[in-house]
Amino acid sequence: MLLFQKTVPGLEVFSYLIGDESREAAVVIDPTRDVDDMLEFADQHNVEILHILETHGHSDFFSGAKELKYRLDDRPIIHSSGMRGNEWTPTYADEIVREGDQIFAGRLRFEAIHTPGHSSEH
């Protein structure tokens, strides 16, 4: 399993790329606007970013989900939390994630578990 964490100093923003190198598949969680390092890491480790997961609405920073999808020729699916209702879900989301939904990338499985805290739809 591959793991790359990106932080934005001063904002307490964390983004992740998690991958299954044996299946050449990866997801990016909560991408920031600058996606270059995620793209470089994926390229260096020969994994394809299949999914972009947004755990909650990002009023604390601008999401890089659209930029990342664009830079990858619109291939990844953007999954956004729908736990707080449609008015809080970004219009660019390809799929709305609800409690118990699962997303797969190679042998990795991600399951949505509603854990409000940082935001009510988290």
Side-chain angles (χ1 to χ4, degrees):
M1 181 176 86
L2 294 172
L3 175 63
F4 175 75
Q5 179 186 43
K6 175 184 179 170
T7 61
V8 178
L11 292 180
E12 296 299 318
V13 172
F14 298 91
S15 297
Y16 302 91
L17 182 148
I18 303 173
D20 175 357
E21 63 255 83
S22 71
R23 303 284 172 92
E24 300 178 349
V27 303
V28 171
I29 301 172
D30 294 335
T32 62
R33 287 292 299 226
D34 179 10
V35 298
D36 288 339
D37 48 0
M38 294 287 179
L39 293 169
E40 290 171 14
F41 186 85
D43 188 52
Q44 290 171 355
H45 294 279
N46 198 34
V47 292
E48 179 182 2
I49 299 170
L50 302 175
H51 303 282
I52 301 166
L53 313 179
E54 294 206 314
T55 60
H56 64 289
H58 297 292
S59 56
D60 52 352
F61 74 95
F62 290 102
S63 171
K66 285 176 58 175
E67 174 69 13
L68 185 57
K69 183 175 175 113
Y70 171 78
R71 299 267 301 270
L72 293 168
D73 297 323
D74 291 329
R75 288 189 312 268
I77 299 168
I78 298 175
H79 305 268
S80 295
S81 171
M83 303 293 188
R84 195 169 173 193
N86 292 338
E87 65 276 5
W88 291 94
T89 304
T91 57
Y92 56 80
D94 297 313
E95 293 190 5
I96 308 303
V97 177
R98 306 259 187 235
E99 178 82 25
D101 287 352
Q102 296 183 10
I103 298 163
F104 295 89
R107 295 177 296 170
L108 302 174
R109 178 179 63 91
F110 300 85
E111 182 174 346
I113 301 171
H114 190 207
T115 54
H118 176 65
S119 66
S120 59
E121 77 275 16
H122 212 172

